[in-house]
Amino acid sequence: MFRNYDLRRHVYGQVKDRYGLAAQAAQHVIKKVADAYATLHANLRSGHLGRPGSVRRERVQARPIVFRPGAAQPFDDRCLSWRMDARTVSIWTVGGRMKGVAFTASADQLTLLAAHRKGESDLVCRDGRWFLIATCDLPDVPVRAPDGFVGVDLGIANIATTATATGTGTGTGTGTGDGVRHSGKTLNAVRHRHRELRRRLQAKQTKSARRLLKRRRRKEARFAADTNHTIARRIVTEAARTGRGIALEDLQGIRDRVRLRKPQRVTLHAWSFHQLGHFIAYKAARAGVALVWVDPAYTSQACSACGHVAKNNRPGQETFACTSCGFAEHADVNAARNIAARGETGWAVSHAA
């Protein structure tokens, strides 16, 4: 039995009495378990945990879900109340309600909280510090009709390359116009350094090595997220300034489709293209910038000038030279122009009515 309301009929009284929980807290416990199994079943259906009969899939199915002691706990307005003027919260605990607990945030976050906070908040204990993750419900911004599109080619050597369908000129990440490449050299160097450091520390297996590993965890992820936020903000800001829309590649499932040699697999699986696409999408929605997802097939092999598609058009990672018309350009810029052209076509078809 996995449905939330069915579980409440059977275990609500047990959970409430056995653990001394308030009524609302007991219902949140049941809902959290039901949601966890719903996520597990969705991953099983989509094949993310292996094929039917595989060792990994059988192991996951045979093991019950276990929650970490510091895992996020949901609180609604009955269990957690905010006082924005005093910057304090009153929160229910198993030992009684704690009042006047101070919280801090940036000026922008405080403004956003005061104006748009709504729904549940999650309490998380991370590295010995407590965080409240609040939900804010912002009003929809009308999407402006775009005057052309900026194509965004996502990659590893260059995290993102932007270009318009008819743009000219190249850049290296200092601006955000046509043909701008946001290099992944720094991020890839940081990932390599952290990977080598983890390998050496894990080989030592000493107490000090484990302590250092624990202290450095999530540092690489925070650096990558900050880099993606910066790139996404620049792309969306430039699109909003020029009145253009944004065309993004739909790369879902690319890790399953691509076959690489073993040394390259670590780099592929560390590629945070999904996070960057998510950042661009939500920032575009908040700015009222049109966003279109396009099919990425053959965008790196097609000529943006004549449309000729051939594998030989791309002799190297950075080089594109059309074997039909002789057009030459940086490979990522050429791909970004193809993506922009597909974005214009997709927008025109979807808004033809």
Side-chain angles (χ1 to χ4, degrees), residues 166 192 216 256 289 332:
T166 57
H192 178 74
R216 296 184 65 86
D256 298 327
V289 174
D332 292 341

Side-chain angles (χ1 to χ4, degrees), residues 315-337:
Q317 190 274 323
E318 295 185 351
T319 308
F320 182 90
C322 182
T323 56
S324 177
C325 69
F327 174 75
E329 179 58 278
H330 190 283
D332 292 341
V333 175
N334 177 76
R337 289 178 182 164

Side-chain angles (χ1 to χ4, degrees), residues 44-65:
L44 290 171
R45 286 193 301 271
S46 61
H48 293 162
L49 300 175
R51 296 186 179 91
S54 65
V55 175
R56 182 188 178 195
R57 188 183 182 103
E58 295 292 338
R59 185 171 63 247
V60 170
Q61 287 180 303
R63 186 175 57 202
I65 290 177

Side-chain angles (χ1 to χ4, degrees), residues 35-330:
D35 290 345
Y37 276 98
T39 302
L40 173 63
H41 294 159
N43 286 328
L44 290 171
R45 286 193 301 271
S46 61
H48 293 162
L49 300 175
R51 296 186 179 91
S54 65
V55 175
R56 182 188 178 195
R57 188 183 182 103
E58 295 292 338
R59 185 171 63 247
V60 170
Q61 287 180 303
R63 186 175 57 202
I65 290 177
V66 177
F67 297 98
R68 293 177 288 105
Q73 299 296 331
F75 288 84
D76 58 17
D77 288 342
R78 297 182 184 180
C79 304
L80 176 71
S81 58
W82 297 75
R83 288 193 60 190
M84 297 299 179
D85 52 347
R87 289 195 195 176
T88 61
V89 293
S90 172
I91 186 168
W92 180 91
T93 72
V94 291
R97 181 171 283 271
M98 294 177 62
K99 299 181 179 180
V101 180
F103 71 89
T104 184
S106 68
D108 291 341
Q109 289 173 329
L110 290 172
T111 303
L112 198 64
L113 275 173
H116 302 291
R117 191 200 66 80
K118 185 177 181 181
E120 292 184 352
S121 303
D122 286 338
L123 180 66
V124 183
C125 182
R126 181 177 295 165
D127 297 334
R129 293 188 295 172
W130 293 91
F131 295 88
L132 268 174
I133 303 174
T135 303
C136 293
D137 187 10
L138 276 69
D140 293 334
V141 177
V143 177
R144 298 183 297 273
D147 181 18
F149 273 81
V150 175
V152 182
D153 178 64
L154 304 179
I156 296 174
N158 291 312
I159 300 175
T161 303
T162 61
T164 60
T166 57
T168 57
T170 58
T172 57
T174 55
T176 47
D178 292 332
V180 174
R181 303 191 300 275
H182 300 274
S183 175
K185 184 177 180 180
T186 301
L187 178 58
N188 290 331
V190 169
R191 289 192 188 280
H192 178 74
R193 186 170 68 249
H194 280 269
R195 188 162 60 245
E196 288 301 307
L197 180 59
R198 285 195 300 268
R199 182 183 60 79
R200 293 199 302 268
L201 291 174
Q202 289 167 355
K204 286 181 179 294
Q205 296 185 352
T206 61
K207 185 180 291 185
S208 60
R210 287 193 292 269
R211 185 167 59 246
L212 184 57
L213 278 170
K214 184 177 180 181
R215 189 165 68 242
R216 296 184 65 86
R217 64 179 178 176
R218 286 194 290 270
K219 191 169 184 178
E220 178 186 332
R222 289 196 298 269
F223 182 84
D226 179 71
T227 302
N228 286 336
H229 268 300
T230 301
I231 295 173
R233 184 173 64 251
R234 289 176 179 173
I235 292 172
V236 173
T237 300
E238 180 65 16
R241 185 186 68 82
T242 57
R244 295 189 176 107
I246 298 174
L248 277 175
E249 301 172 280
D250 185 2
L251 296 174
Q252 186 175 2
I254 191 172
R255 289 191 177 96
D256 298 327
R257 298 193 302 268
V258 175
R259 294 291 179 266
L260 296 173
R261 294 190 299 273
K262 193 172 183 179
Q264 297 173 308
R265 294 174 193 168
V266 174
T267 304
L268 175 67
H269 288 280
W271 183 23
S272 56
F273 65 89
H274 180 270
Q275 184 186 69
L276 178 57
H278 170 69
F279 288 170
I280 294 174
Y282 91 77
K283 291 179 191 296
R286 290 184 63 177
V289 174
L291 180 73
V292 176
W293 297 91
V294 303
D295 183 3
Y298 304 108
T299 52
S300 62
Q301 298 178 12
C303 177
S304 59
C306 69
H308 175 65
V309 179
K311 190 174 182 179
N312 293 334
N313 284 352
R314 190 167 179 176
Q317 190 274 323
E318 295 185 351
T319 308
F320 182 90
C322 182
T323 56
S324 177
C325 69
F327 174 75
E329 179 58 278
H330 190 283

